[in-house]
């Protein structure tokens, strides 16, 4: 007989599917999308997905919730996406990912600062090990530390961590998950669209492969993934959800090995295993603390 999976474990498993899908973004972007249009790619990914969700959900935020919904859209989508691409163009992928791996620690900090929830030592240790594992996995020897890129990566991680924490704290602004996700993607995409229009050249005529790639990033990388992500945010502790974001670079490493022959060896493999152990550790400790409460 197989053990029955608890509701929290099932929620964590479904939420983990989101960063696993996001791990394919680099592969799809590098292989099939037109080059040098990061903001355009972000708009094409989030805005159509948001509009589809709104057409399906057909629910508006309550009059007193608009400010919160817009704030979450700015933090989770617009600011995060913009700073993510600034960091990606100015920093080696390893440095950017190391800074992004600080999200679980930042969520613990937000919980302590806003709600006075002192972080448990074991959870903090597991989160620190995640940063260490990411450093081993993605460390780029001789990398140049660009000041603007470092600030963008750090602020982007802080923005996503704050948005994830507030979404859980506000219990999804009293909206169903589909409507909450749709409004965030739509409003975030509308914030990014003028930047893409002003700073990047228009898209060329797309091939069938490029069109399918944009469709995949929108339907799977935004619509499905963000629905699962925000569903997890309103059901799981914020630090547990944030730690799952580390699965994205782990997924990217596996895809790179299988699709591009970029196999991991030595310290990189040790970092991959340490990061995975950190994610599992945070999930286990968070579930124990939740059951005790």
């Amino acid at each position: 007989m197989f053990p029955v999976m608890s509701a929290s474990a099932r929620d964590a498993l479904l939420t983990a599917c989101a960063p696993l899908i996001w791990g394919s973004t680099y592969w799809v972007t590098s292989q099939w999308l037109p080059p040098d249009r990061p903001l355009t790619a972000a708009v094409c990914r989030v805005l159509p997905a948001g509009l589809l969700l709104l057409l399906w959900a057909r629910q508006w935020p309550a009059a007193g919730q608009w400010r919160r919904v817009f704030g979450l859209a700015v933090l989770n989508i617009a600011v995060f996406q913009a700073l993510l691409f600034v960091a990606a163009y100015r920093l080696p992928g390893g440095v950017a990912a190391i800074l992004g791996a600080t999200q679980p620690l930042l969520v613990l900090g937000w919980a302590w600062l806003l709600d006075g929830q002192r972080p448990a030592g074991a959870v903090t240790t597991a989160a620190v090990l995640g940063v260490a594992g990411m450093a081993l996995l993605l460390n780029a020897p001789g990398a140049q530390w660009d000041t603007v890129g470092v600030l963008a990566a750090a602020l982007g991680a802080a923005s996503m961590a704050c948005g994830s924490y507030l979404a859980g704290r506000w219990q999804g602004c009293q909206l169903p998950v589909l409507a909450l996700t749709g409004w965030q993607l739509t409003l975030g995409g509308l914030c990014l669209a003028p930047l893409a229009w002003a700073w990047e050249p228009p898209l060329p005529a797309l091939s069938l492969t490029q069109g399918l790639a944009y469709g995949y990033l929108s339907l799977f990388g935004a619509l499905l993934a963000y629905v699962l992500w925000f569903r997890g945010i309103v059901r799981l502790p914020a630090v547990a959800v944030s730690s799952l974001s580390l699965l994205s670079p782990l997924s990217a490493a596996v895809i790179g090995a299988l699709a591009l022959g970029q196999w991991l060896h030595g310290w990189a493999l040790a970092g991959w295993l340490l990061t995975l152990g950190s994610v599992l550790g945070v999930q286990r400790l968070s579930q124990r603390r939740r059951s005790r409460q």
Side-chain angles (χ1 to χ4, degrees), residues 187-205:
L187 293 174
L190 291 175
C191 290
L192 288 171
L195 301 178
W197 180 81
W199 293 346
E200 296 181 355
L203 282 173

Side-chain angles (χ1 to χ4, degrees), residues 7 26 41 45 68 77 81 87 126 131 136 154 171 174-175 180 205 207 231 241 243-245 269-270 272 279 282 284:
Y26 171 77
R45 178 168 63 176
R68 289 183 173 183
I77 307 298
Q81 291 286 340
V131 178
L136 290 174
Q171 286 298 298
Q174 302 174 14
L175 281 172
L180 173 66
S207 67
R231 177 186 180 276
V241 176
S243 73
L244 291 173
S245 65
L269 180 59
W272 192 96
V279 173
V282 171
R284 183 66 173 171

